Each structure stands twice: as C-alpha cells, then as structure tokens.
Amino acid sequence: MATLPEAVNLKYGPPTIDSVEQNCRVEIFVPLKYSSIPRPSSVLILNSCNIEKAGNDSEIDEVCREIKELDLAENKLVDWTEILKILNHAQCLTFLNLSYNDLSREIPSNLVPRLQLLSKLVLIGTNINWPNVHTLLTGLAFQNLEELHLSLNNLSEVQDAGQRYPTIRIVHFNGNPVSNPKDIHLLGKMFPGLQSLVLADCPVRGLGDDEEFRSCFPVLEKLNLNNSMIPSWEEIEKLRGLPSLVDFRMVNCPAFEEYTEHERRQEMIARLDNVHRLNGGAVSRLEREDAERAFIRAHLGKEEHLLPPRYHELVVIHGQLNPLAEVDLSPKTEVTVNISHERGSTMQTISVYITVLELKQLVEKVTGIPVMRQRVFYVDQDMVNAHGPEEMRFHQKKLYRYNVESGDSFIIQDKKSC
C-alpha cells in the first residue's frame, strides 16, 4: 500500500534530489528513465495506485498545493481522516474523483475542509450513505459545487436532511435501486437549481402527482430515464408539465414493450411537444408533424373513453385525418398472361420465377408444339408500341427478369410453319 506522495513519485518521478556533502550543498536533477510522464502542474491522475494513506503533511502540501484536478478513483482509501487530510492541502481543487473507494465509514464533520473552488465531485460506487453525502455537501463545497455523481451506491431511497443545495445543476444517480416517485421528488427539492438529472438503470415506477412533480423541477432541461420501469404512456406524458425540459432520453421500459423503435420514437415525439432532442437526436419540424399525424391515425376508430387527451389536442392542430390507403408493396409471385398461337389464345396464371424453358414446356402442353420448334415472343403491354415483341432466346432466364406483369402476352410461333 502507498501514500499519496509515494504514488505521485512512483508515477511521475521526483523533480529534484538534494545531496548534501559535508559543508557543500549541491542540487542535482536526475531524470527517471522509467518515467515518460511529465510531472503535472495542475492535474493529478492517481487512479488504481493502491493509495491507502495520506502521508506526510509537508509532502502532501508540496504535491497538492496547486493541484486543480485530483483523480483518486479505485484506490484503497477507506478512512475519511486520511482523505480529509489530503483535501486540506488541496485548496485549489475544482474537480475531485473518489469513485470506487469504500467510503461507507462515518465522516468526522469537524475535519471537513471548505474547498471554495470545487465545482465537480464524483462519488461513483463508493457505498456512501446519505448522512455522509450531506456532510460533504454542507462542509466541503456548499458554495460552488455544480456537478455531483452519486451513481452505483445502492441508495434505495433519498434522505432529505432539510438542507438545500441551489448551486448544483447536474446530478448523476444511475444504477441506484430507487423506485418510489416520492424519492425522485426529494431529489428535485434538495437540488432546486437542477438542470440535468440522470436516472438511467433506476427501477423508477412512476413520476407521482403531476403538480408536485412539476413543482420539484422548475428549471430541469435534461432528463435520462433509460431502462426504467415506467409502466404507461400516461406517466411519460407527465413530462409535458416540466416548463424547461427540452432534452429527454428513454429506452427500454414496460410502456414500450409492444412498439418498434420507430413507433416508440414517433409516440414520444407526438406526446411530448416540449422535447426538442430525443435519445440524442434532434427533433425536426417535419419529424414532429409526421409523428403527430401518425398518432392521430393510430387512434382512429377508438371509443371516446379510450382516446388520450393528446389526441384531441392534435386533432385541433391537424384536423381529422383519414386512414392511409393500404398499398401492397410485396413482390408479385404470379401473373395472369395471354398465350397466343396459330390455333387461338388462352389465359394462363404462371409464376414469374419459372424459366423460359419451363414456359415453353407449359406452352407445349397447351399448343402441342414441341419445345425445340417453338419461338416465343414477349409482348409488354406498356412498351409494345415503342419496342414491339421481344423474342425470348435464353432458356435459363427467369420471367421476372423481363418484368412480366398481369395483362402481358406471349406469342408462340412454330418454326416448321415459319
């Protein structure tokens, strides 16, 4: 296990070595061959360095005094006294990452230094509890913190200590097993200036009362509910009540189970007229109009009590629409053609996938003219005036390659009588 100064020296190398020899002091710079990383002036990235202890105060002060960004993720830090000792010498910090250290022990609140410049705090996968979160936010960075990451901390509920953190604009809460709408509301109350909230992979089962939900997020612009448990479109439509929401992400929830990806996007666009960016893609004016029209048509013919309120709003905008005509665009496999020969003519239904040779074999049964004596001419009803009949010379060529359609003709001649 290492201290922070030891980890810095191991990764970046010491800047100088002082040699004192009797009465003469000589300063020698020794470049480390094993270290190709220049010693940073404002950023320390020390993730996965097995740091367990803070180290000597004077050494910590030397390496942290001017540091603005400090990444201590995936180390062995478990004692808050050691962590706070480091932070006490890092008064210039704007970014701090303590992710994937076990921070479940109680924080000694009297030792928490105030970092006036700290704007981003990352605590992913730390097992931190709400009392510790509140201790950090009120003591460490109450004045200037803007971004807080609390993902993957097994927080099944939100505990409100009565404190409000108005400077925090961005909260990432991914992967916590919170499901009660009341807890989502508490996040909004706790962070009244929230502009971006990520709740991906949280089993959220609803958004709760419309009015309360709206009042808790007055300035929320971005919301991520990927892989939630939202059960219905009616719950999703509550997002229309958020006055500032323009950017929304949501994939995989029970409300989507019977929809294709295209249908899901259209449904969300039609229902959420306030959202201008959906799942990372901008919503154009044309896409919104197409989605709203598709929404109206999807609900045509339903009984009045089954129509969503949004249906009537969109009818006011676009009017009553008729169902789209059903056009069968599947390729035809059979056509009905006229087979004409010296003795008369007959109508036959044939497959477009048979070859010219197979057509001649069919003609032999109808006309009695042997295959080897036949000359077969194809007459395209639409192009006959421009090109005339086309002799079909290639026995292995299939009829669909001639673009044969119902109503076309085949003229059969006997070579013996030509």
Side-chain angles (χ1 to χ4, degrees), residues 203-220:
V204 179
R205 298 187 179 277
L207 301 177
D209 179 74
D210 288 32
E211 292 295 329
E212 185 176 359
F213 178 62
R214 184 182 303 115
S215 66
C216 290
F217 298 98
V219 294
L220 189 68

Side-chain angles (χ1 to χ4, degrees), residues 8 12-13 37-45 63 66-67 69:
V8 171
Y12 298 104
I37 306 173
R39 184 123 181 212
S41 59
S42 62
V43 178
L44 277 180
I45 301 175
V63 298
E66 298 179 359
I67 291 298
E69 299 184 17

Side-chain angles (χ1 to χ4, degrees), residues 6 92 97 119 144 244 295 348 354 375 418:
E6 289 171 348
C92 295
N97 185 3
S119 63
N144 294 292
S244 301
F295 184 88
Q348 292 283 332
I354 65 173
R375 294 183 67 190
C418 290

Side-chain angles (χ1 to χ4, degrees), residues 149-153 171-176 198-202 224:
H149 292 249
L150 291 174
S151 303
L152 301 173
N153 281 308
V171 170
H172 287 246
F173 204 72
N174 315 39
N176 287 302
V198 181
L199 294 170
D201 302 307
C202 296
N224 187 328

Side-chain angles (χ1 to χ4, degrees), residues 12 48 55 70-71 133 198 204 226 244 249 263 271 296 335 348 356 370 389 394 397 402 408:
Y12 298 104
S48 303
L70 178 59
D71 185 348
V133 170
V198 181
V204 179
N226 283 347
S244 301
R249 288 178 180 265
E263 291 170 339
R271 288 181 181 266
I296 293 174
V335 292
Q348 292 283 332
V356 172
F394 304 103
K397 190 172 182 178
Y402 289 92
D408 292 345

Side-chain angles (χ1 to χ4, degrees), residues 373-392:
R373 283 171 36 194
Q374 292 178 24
R375 294 183 67 190
V376 180
F377 296 86
Y378 168 54
V379 181
D380 185 329
Q381 59 189 322
D382 297 321
M383 303 297 293
V384 63
N385 293 330
H387 299 292
E390 176 185 358
E391 185 169 2
M392 306 174 77

